[in-house]
Amino acid sequence: MDSQVNDSRPTRWWDWPAAILLVAAIYVAATRLNSTGWTNELNIIQTVAVVGVIAGLALGKSTFSVRVVRFFAFVYGAFVILWRIGLTFGQGVLWPERMISMGNRLLIILDQIFQQKPVTDNLFFNLVMAALFWTVSVYAGYSLTRHGNPWRAIIPAGFTIIIIQAYDSFIPVRTWYLAGFIFLALLVVARMHFVNLQYKWKRNGTYLPPYVGIDSLRLGLITTVILVLFAWTVPAVASAVPQAEQAWLNATRPWMDFRNSMSNVFYSLQASVGVVTDFYGEHLPLGRGNPLSDTIIMQVEAPPRASSNVRYYWRSRVYDTYDVGWSNTMSDQDFVSPDEFNLNLPEYENRASTTFSITTLFPIQNLHTPSQPEWVSRPGDAFYASNSDGSVDLSHVKADPVLLAGDTYQVTASLTAASQKELREAGTDYPSWVTDRYLHLPDTISDRTILLAEELAADLDNPYDIAQTITDFLRVQLEYSDTIPAPPDGQEPIDWVLFDHKQAFCNYYASAEIIMLRSLGIPARLAVGYAEGERTVIRGFEDIPILEPGVVNIPQDIQIESDVFYVAHRDAHAWPEVYFPNIGWVEFEPTVSQQPIIRPLGTISDRSDPIQPNLLDDTLQDRAQRRLDELSAQDGSDDSLSIGGLSISPTPIYVALAIILVASIVLFTWRVRIKRGSPPIPVHLESSLQRVGIKSPKILIQWARNASLSPLSRAYLELNRALSRLGQPPEISHTPSERANDLVQVLPVTEKPVNSVIIPYQTSIYGNQSADSEDAERAGKEIRKLSFLAKLQRLIARFQDPKRKSTK
C-alpha cells in the first residue's frame, strides 16, 4: 500500500487485491444486466463498467481536486459511452453521421417522453444504463482509492444489481449473479478492513507476523461464504411462514406499483425483445420481434372437448386502446380470492363453463386463463372496467403472491363453440359500453388502410363474414417472420406492413385485423398470452398426440380421460377478439404460422369424418413419440429440474449442495486437525480474529473452548450439563465424585455411564495416568441422551397432571 502518512489516515489508498476484486464485482453487476436480454447491444454496458471502475481507481489515486475529478469523469464518460453506442451502428458509417443519427433519435425520444407516449427506441434505455453504470463504476473506484471506504464503493452497485434482479426474477439460475456479486463485495470489505488495520499497526509500530495477511484472507473468505449461504437460505425458510411472506408482499407492493408506472419510459424493452414469458404491462408495443425457443412454459390439463373445432388460447390480458402500440384503460382493481370471486361478469348464451388445471414451469404473476375466466383457485388482483349496465369488463388477474415454478392452479372459464350460422345471425345490437371502448382509432391510421377494409367488406352483410374475410386476406397476403425491421420514420406501422413490407408476426397480424374491423364499426380488441400449444389426448392408458389440433372430431366410441397441452415459449402469441351480441368475445386467427380456426357450419350436415384407424401411420406415430420423449426430458433448455413431474428450481439444490460441501470440509478438517494435534477450526477462527483486531463473538469463544478440550474433559462436562438440564446445577465447591453422585441420585439410570466417565477422568487428572477416552466419550453421549429423555418425560408429565388440568 502506497500512502502519505498524516495525523489520522492516508490521503490515498492502493491495494491490488481489493482493486481486482472491485473490478470483478462491477463486471458481475454489468453482466447481470446483459443476461436479461431486455434489448439489443446490452453488452456495451460491460465495457463501460470495466473502463469506468478503472478510471475511478486512477482518478482517486491522482492528486486532482474533487471538482477536477468530476470534470474528467464527465468528459471520459461522455467519450466512452458515445464511442461504445456509436459502434452499434455497424461498420463503414462515418462518425459524424453516427453522431447526427444518435442526436436525432434522442430528440424523438425526448418528445415521446414529454408527450407521455411510449418510448419505442432502445437507444434511450442503453444510454441510461451506460450512464448509470459509468457513474456507479467511477464512484466505486474513486471511493476505494481516495477514501479507502469499501462500503461506499459497493453499495451503489449493490442497489443496481438488486433492482435488476427484481425486474428479471423469472429465471432462478440468474440469481447466482447476485450471489457472486455479494461474495466479491464482502471480500472487498474484508480486504479493506485488513488494509486499514495494517495502516494503524504500521503507524503504531506494531510487529506484523508474515502470516497475518493470509489469516485475514482466509477469515474473510470463510465469513463471506457463510454470509452468502445464510442470505440464500433465510428467505426460503421465511417463505414457509405465512405471516413473514405476507409482510414481505406488503413491503414490496409500493415498489411493484412504481415499476408498473415506469412502463412508458422503458417501453422499448418489450419492443426489442418481443413477447416475454410473463410480464405484460399497461402498454404493449408492436415491437420488432424476437426468435422464440422450445422451452416449455406451462402444462395445461383440460377436460375432453365436445368438438375438436374448439380452439384454446391461454390469455394473459387484453388491450383496448391502440396508438402505435397498445394500452389498457381498465384501471379498476379488486382483490379476489377462491372463496369470493364475486365479479359481475356479462351473461351470454350458448356458452359452457369448463375447468382447467395449469402447472407453470416458470414464476408468473399474470394468470393465464382460457377465454373468459369465471373463477381462479389463487388469490389476486382483478383488473377491469365498470360497464354502464352494471357488469364488469375483465382484463386480467394478477396472482398475489406470485406463482413459482411448479405451482398448479385451476381456472373455470366460460367458452363458446358458436357455429358460423350463430355468428352470422348475432347481429349488430352492441351494448353501449362495447362501442364506447372498442371502436376507438387514432388519427394516424392511413386512408388506404381504411379503404382496404371497406373493399374487403364490400357485398358482405354481417360482422362474422367481414371478420373471416379480413382474417383470410391477412393469412394470404402477409408472410410470417418472427422478426421485422423498424418501420420507416413517419410511416404508420400497420400501413407499412400491409402495403410495403408484407411480412409480420402476431402483434402486427392481430393489430391490422382489429384496426380494419374498428374502421368498419365492428368492436374488436387485442388479447395476448399463448396459443394452444402441443396437444396430447389421453385415451385410457394410451397417449395419442394430435399434431394438427382443431381439425377433426373425436370418435364417440373412444373413452377420453383428458387433454394435456404442453405450451412452449414459441407459443407466445397475440390474437384479435371480436364481439358478437349475446355470444361475447370470439377469437380469430389471422397469423399464418398458426392453424386456422375451423368452426362448424351450424347445419344438420355439419359433421366431420371420424378419425380413421390408418390416420396415424407408423411414421407419424414415431414422430409423435419422439416429441413426447423430448417434452418429458425437457432437454435442459429451461432452468428447472423435473422430478416426478414436478418442476423444481435448481437454486435451492445448489444451495443445499454448497452447504453440505462446506460443512463436510469443515468437519473433515476439524477431525484431521484433532488427530494431528493442531488447533481445531473454531480455535483457529478465534485466534485469526484476535490477530486482525476483531473481538470474537461469545458463541465462537465458547465453541473454541469446547473444541480445545480433550475428549475425556468434554465427556466430564456432560455430567455438569445433565445436572443443569435436570434442574440441579452443580455447586462450584463440589468435587467430581460429588457431582457424579448427585447425578446418579437425580437420575439413577445414568449410574453405569457416570462411572465410565468419572473413573477414567479422576485417573487421568489426579493419577497422571492415561485413560480410555473413547469409552468415556461414548458414556458422555449416553448421559446427554438420558438426561434429555428425562427432561422430556418431566415436561410431558406436567401436562398430564390431573391437578394441572383441573386448575385450567
Side-chain angles (χ1 to χ4, degrees), residues 198-244:
Q198 189 180 36
Y199 166 74
K200 294 179 181 178
W201 292 331
K202 286 184 177 181
R203 188 183 60 183
N204 297 331
T206 304
Y207 168 71
L208 299 178
Y211 53 78
V212 170
I214 298 176
D215 282 344
S216 174
L217 184 61
R218 184 188 299 114
L219 177 63
L221 184 62
I222 294 174
T223 304
T224 300
V225 171
I226 293 174
L227 289 176
V228 171
L229 292 178
F230 178 79
W232 250 242
T233 54
V234 166
V237 176
S239 63
V241 182
Q243 294 82 355

Side-chain angles (χ1 to χ4, degrees), residues 700-715:
L700 179 58
I701 295 174
Q702 186 63 36
W703 187 20
R705 288 177 181 175
N706 291 340
S708 61
L709 295 175
S710 66
L712 192 57
S713 298
R714 285 198 296 272

Side-chain angles (χ1 to χ4, degrees), residues 93 95 185 223-224 231 242 342 407 415 480 483 516 525 541 553 755 803 808:
V93 182
W95 275 100
T223 304
T224 300
N342 50 3
D407 281 346
L415 306 178
Y480 181 83
T483 60
M516 287 193 283
R525 67 185 185 183
F541 296 101
N553 283 327
N755 290 332
K803 295 181 179 180
K808 291 184 179 180

Side-chain angles (χ1 to χ4, degrees), residues 471-587:
T471 298
D472 295 338
F473 171 83
L474 294 173
R475 294 180 67 89
V476 171
Q477 294 298 318
L478 296 185
E479 179 185 353
Y480 181 83
S481 176
D482 53 12
T483 60
I484 63 172
D489 293 339
Q491 186 171 2
E492 209 282 327
I494 299 302
D495 177 274
W496 173 70
V497 165
L498 284 174
F499 300 102
D500 299 328
H501 190 62
K502 295 186 180 297
Q503 288 185 343
F505 56 91
C506 58
N507 289 11
Y508 285 88
Y509 279 100
S511 299
E513 176 158 341
I514 295 167
I515 288 170
M516 287 193 283
L517 287 173
R518 288 187 177 188
S519 71
L520 299 171
I522 300 174
R525 67 185 185 183
L526 182 75
V528 293
Y530 291 90
E532 189 174 67
E534 186 157 345
R535 175 188 177 202
T536 299
V537 181
I538 302 177
R539 307 166 183 239
F541 296 101
E542 181 182 9
D543 293 353
I544 302 180
I546 305 300
L547 300 181
E548 296 184 356
V551 179
V552 294
N553 283 327
I554 305 298
Q556 299 298 321
D557 59 343
I558 297 181
Q559 180 65 35
I560 302 177
E561 295 182 358
S562 63
D563 291 351
V564 175
F565 298 89
Y566 294 97
V567 184
H569 185 221
R570 67 170 181 271
D571 296 313
H573 194 41
W575 61 93
E577 293 183 342
V578 182
Y579 188 87
F580 292 87
N582 298 320
I583 294 177
W585 294 102
V586 177
E587 302 90 349

Side-chain angles (χ1 to χ4, degrees), residues 596-631:
I597 298 176
I598 308 299
R599 292 190 170 90
L601 298 175
T603 62
I604 298 177
S605 60
D606 183 27
R607 297 180 60 88
S608 300
D609 294 331
I611 298 178
Q612 300 299 325
N614 60 353
L615 180 62
L616 292 176
D617 57 20
D618 294 337
T619 303
L620 196 57
Q621 288 181 350
D622 292 341
R623 288 171 53 196
Q625 187 60 47
R626 283 198 303 271
R627 180 57 185 152
L628 282 178
D629 294 339
E630 292 174 1
L631 292 175

